[in-house]
Amino acid sequence: MTRLTVLGICGSPRPGNSEFLLDKALDAAHEVDPVAVECLRYTVRGKKMAPCLSCFRCGELGGECVIKDSFQEARDLWLRADVVIYSVPVYHMGLPGQLKCFIDRLGNSLFGRYRHLFPPGVDSLPRHLKVIAGIAQGVHLCSGQEHALTDIVNHALLMQCVPVTGDMWESYIGAAGWTANDIERAALSKQFEEGRQNAELLVKAARDVGRRATETALVLRAGVLARESLLKTDPTYLPLLERVRVAEVSR
Ligand SMILES: Cc1cc2nc3c(=O)[nH]c(=O)nc-3n(C[C@H](O)[C@H](O)[C@H](O)COP(=O)(O)O)c2cc1C
């Protein structure tokens, strides 16, 4: 059996609706295979995540960012994960700032980290093939959820990963929903307990995202193992093979 690491990243600075939905997604991920699937959580809450300075020193420092804050811990978890599920509140019709800061710095610094894999002068990223999925909710209806999810899909593509959604018809490009005009942090959990349709659909969508992302990663993992001899001839697959090997040894 293969060990799989599912990382849930909460993009809200408070313990609230994003965290509630992330827990639902991770529960469903765990249920796919309670023995093989390990779920980890990371939240931006209480963390310091400064914006990228555009100094490009990470290109010279083997991918190390000159700013020392919570970024390094989040990056290490991200690198270790086979699946990353982002659960975010919609801010200004898009991603919340702390998460955007993380994604910007991650993207840039990984070019420096993996420069040795490519010929001199070539700026590229390895094929991580992590499965990435998003959950986005806001206080209002149609108020930026799809924009936030599109940012997550774009991030997945840029990082050479595999974006997935949930199931029809609750999740077109991820789980999206609203709190029905309630700004309270417990809005969704309360509405879910009351059997309100918006919350029930959103919980279903979040669970579908967690399950589908995990199932896809298990399929990918099996494919990587089956094709290992072919993939190891191409340096762009080395970080992926390394991740799979570590999981295989420690299982
Ligand atoms: C700075 C800020 C910007 C926001 N912008 C939006 C928005 O554009 N659309 C929306 O529906 N809700 C917006 N909201 C509301 C939150 O998305 C909403 O309250 C959400 O449920 C918070 O999730 P949380 O409990 O996980 O923090 C905003 C909230 C804040 C603090």
Side-chain angles (χ1 to χ4, degrees):
M1 194 183 296
T2 300
R3 253 185 89 235
L4 201 85
T5 302
V6 178
L7 172 65
I9 297 185
C10 179
S12 172
R14 65 180 192 174
N17 301 292
S18 307
E19 227 169 77
F20 168 72
L21 292 174
L22 186 59
D23 282 346
K24 300 291 180 197
L26 293 180
D27 285 350
H30 186 68
E31 286 163 22
V32 171
D33 190 331
V35 178
V37 175
E38 172 195 35
C39 291
L40 304 176
R41 286 170 171 75
Y42 183 84
T43 176
V44 302
R45 174 160 50 93
K47 309 285 171 34
K48 292 222 177 318
M49 201 66 81
C52 177
L53 296 172
S54 191
C55 67
F56 288 97
R57 293 289 310 284
C58 53
E60 302 154 18
L61 300 173
E64 276 311 315
C65 183
V66 292
I67 310 166
K68 301 299 174 210
D69 58 9
S70 302
F71 169 74
Q72 284 74 17
E73 181 199 1
R75 174 206 57 200
D76 290 349
L77 285 169
W78 192 93
L79 287 172
R80 184 180 147 195
D82 300 290
V83 177
V84 184
I85 300 173
Y86 293 96
S87 183
V88 300
V90 179
Y91 276 12
H92 210 89
M93 294 192 74
L95 290 180
Q98 275 164 295
L99 187 66
K100 181 69 165 69
C101 289
F102 169 66
I103 285 174
D104 287 347
R105 285 168 66 191
L106 181 74
N108 260 22
S109 64
L110 293 193
F111 283 98
R113 187 180 186 98
Y114 296 114
R115 182 148 291 153
H116 62 282
L117 296 176
F118 301 98
V122 173
D123 251 347
S124 193
L125 288 173
R127 295 183 180 137
H128 287 291
L129 298 193
K130 296 173 193 292
V131 178
I132 293 188
I135 301 165
Q137 48 76 36
V139 68
H140 297 132
L141 189 63
C142 305
S143 51
Q145 288 85 345
E146 290 194 9
H147 295 297
L149 289 171
T150 303
D151 281 344
I152 292 169
V153 170
N154 290 342
H155 157 65
L157 294 170
L158 199 54
M159 301 307 286
Q160 313 299 304
C161 293
V162 180
V164 297
T165 181
D167 287 332
M168 292 176 177
W169 293 105
E170 290 81 17
S171 315
Y172 275 57
I173 58 166
W178 69 315
T179 63
N181 302 322
D182 187 346
I183 57 158
E184 292 303 318
R185 58 184 69 186
L188 285 173
S189 63
K190 194 161 153 271
Q191 290 167 22
F192 182 66
E193 274 167 33
E194 292 166 357
R196 299 261 296 271
Q197 192 189 30
N198 65 306
E200 285 190 340
L201 288 175
L202 198 39
V203 166
K204 178 179 183 310
R207 283 185 52 83
D208 289 346
V209 160
R211 184 173 43 76
R212 181 146 167 203
T214 307
E215 287 170 359
T216 307
L218 286 168
V219 171
L220 273 170
R221 169 66 59 92
V224 169
L225 289 170
R227 292 279 166 221
E228 188 171 0
S229 54
L230 178 76
L231 297 180
K232 69 182 175 199
T233 62
D234 182 343
T236 60
Y237 287 106
L238 288 183
L240 167 65
L241 290 170
E242 184 68 20
R243 200 174 83 226
V244 171
R245 243 178 258 129
V246 168
E248 285 300 293
V249 167
S250 59
R251 81 195 142 116

